[in-house]
Amino acid sequence: MSEIRTVAVIIRGRVQGVGYRMWTRDEAERQGLAGHVRNRPDGSVEAVFSGPVDAVGRILEACRHGPPGARVSEVVVSDHGGAPPQAGFAIR
């Protein structure tokens, strides 16, 4: 059984209005991750990813680039202290 990692992520830059949330959902589902993604009032995007350590690593690397049209300036990752999200990945 592989180890599970849950992280909270803040992505800054030009990440709203470019399909970043939909792209994140699609990438997370492709990796088999649970969690959610949402826009924040300050123009950043916030996500929680939970799943196998290697899959979480892949999505974090992908978030540094994002979809076409995005310009990511910063990705801040912290271990998520709360309960892991239930199965599935949602846009909030």
Side-chain angles (χ1 to χ4, degrees), residues 3 5 7 15 22 26 33 35 40 46 49-50 57 63 80:
E3 185 180 347
R5 182 177 184 201
V7 296
V15 293
M22 285 68 68
D26 293 347
L33 298 172
R40 292 170 32 119
E46 175 182 40
F49 301 112
S50 185
C63 283
H80 189 267

Side-chain angles (χ1 to χ4, degrees), residues 36-59:
H36 66 267
V37 62
R38 67 180 175 181
N39 284 339
R40 292 170 32 119
D42 67 0
S44 65
V45 169
E46 175 182 40
V48 172
F49 301 112
S50 185
V53 172
D54 58 336
V56 170
R58 285 191 297 272
I59 193 81

Side-chain angles (χ1 to χ4, degrees), residues 5-22:
R5 182 177 184 201
T6 302
V7 296
V9 184
I10 304 293
I11 302 107
R12 293 188 176 96
R14 191 170 99 187
V15 293
Q16 289 190 16
V18 295
Y20 202 100
R21 289 177 302 153
M22 285 68 68

Side-chain angles (χ1 to χ4, degrees), residues 74-92:
E74 182 179 31
V75 177
V76 179
V77 180
S78 59
D79 287 319
H80 189 267
Q86 296 185 3
F89 199 89
I91 295 174
R92 293 189 176 169

